[in-house]
Amino acid sequence: MRRALAAAAALLPGIDVDGPRVRLGLAWAAIAVLAILLGPVTTSLVFAAVTLGAAGQACRSWRRQSRRPCRPVAVIGAFACALAGGVGPVAVVAVAAGTAVAAVAATQRRWGGREGDARLTIAIGVLVGVGAASPAVIRDRLGVVAALSFLAWILTIDASMFIVGSGASNRWEGIVAGAASAGAIAIAVAAVLVPPFRGVSPWLLGAVAAMGVPAGTMAATMLVGRDEAPVPALRRLDAYLVVGPVWAVVGRLLLDVV
């Protein structure tokens, strides 16, 4: 058990406090909130723009490795998945499936003298793309209140992990801080936002967020070919990679939506 926890914690990236990290985080939060208020299409456009950089940076990190993704398929697939979020979940699934098929077909030939890795191409294109599509899907299918609540959970957990983790001796302390902040948001949601939240839904969705955000951060680390590779756009989206699709499905089952 201890080894498993240590291995999981090793996938959490080191926290870089140099530069205007807080200001950039606040700017991103303001842009994301405004996009959600304007609608699912605007939300998909904003997240798709970041997805281009995220997928491109992930692909570039494998440039000097023996295996590497097919960059055009991964980047275009991720971007298309994120855009499809403004249309709906069926469109996202269709684009993700098309990306997987294109990855298998494209990696049969050699890129730059080396054969592309289909699984790595699919992982980057689909995981990043579907994660980035989730805020638009939630905004479209569950409504603005649910989407803003989802965003509040993600941003608060992410900020807690950053603030506490930057000064902690153990990486898991940031995860604990994120879980505590998720509980605080759940209390506020349960007290005020009824409907669409009802019964245990704030607590279950808060738990999904508390577990999913660090899981997404770990998943993003596995998409990077070099530990020291600069991937700021990917790190801006990593919190959404796992929790986004899961939260959208669980929210659809639990919330009072038409």
Side-chain angles (χ1 to χ4, degrees):
M1 182 66 176
R2 182 174 297 179
R3 289 184 178 181
L5 290 174
L11 292 174
L12 293 173
I15 296 178
D16 184 4
V17 296
D18 295 331
R21 305 292 177 181
V22 175
R23 281 174 288 175
L24 287 175
L26 291 174
W28 166 247
I31 292 171
V33 168
L34 180 60
I36 285 177
L37 289 174
L38 292 176
V41 174
T42 307
T43 304
S44 68
L45 290 173
V46 168
F47 277 84
V50 183
T51 301
L52 274 176
Q57 290 166 4
C59 291
R60 189 169 62 247
S61 71
W62 292 90
R63 184 170 48 189
R64 299 177 182 176
Q65 306 300 315
S66 58
R67 57 191 287 256
R68 64 178 180 178
C70 174
R71 186 171 182 175
V73 174
V75 173
I76 294 172
F79 179 70
C81 281
L83 283 180
V87 179
V90 175
V92 176
V93 172
V95 173
T99 300
V101 172
V104 173
T107 51
Q108 299 305 308
R109 56 178 296 184
R110 293 183 177 273
W111 296 84
R114 286 179 291 183
E115 186 175 332
D117 189 295
R119 287 180 295 180
L120 186 55
T121 304
I122 293 170
I124 294 174
V126 173
L127 188 59
V128 175
V130 172
S134 59
V137 171
I138 292 170
R139 172 64 175 86
D140 180 44
R141 296 308 169 101
L142 303 183
V144 64
V145 173
L148 289 174
S149 300
F150 166 74
L151 192 64
W153 261 305
I154 302 305
L155 294 176
T156 304
I157 294 170
D158 208 20
S160 298
M161 290 177 61
F162 175 83
I163 294 170
V164 175
S166 62
S169 57
N170 296 302
R171 294 185 178 183
W172 57 262
E173 293 179 39
I175 297 178
V176 173
S181 65
I185 297 295
I187 292 173
V189 168
V192 178
L193 301 179
V194 182
F197 295 89
R198 56 184 169 83
V200 298
S201 63
W203 308 104
L204 291 178
L205 290 169
V208 169
M211 293 184 290
V213 171
T217 301
M218 296 174 190
T221 299
M222 298 174 69
L223 298 180
V224 179
R226 293 181 294 113
D227 291 341
E228 70 276 12
V231 286
L234 179 62
R235 290 305 176 191
R236 186 59 60 193
L237 288 180
D238 62 5
Y240 300 86
L241 300 192
V242 173
V243 71
V246 176
W247 204 96
V249 173
V250 176
R252 188 67 181 86
L253 295 174
L254 295 179
L255 299 185
D256 286 328
V257 292
V258 179

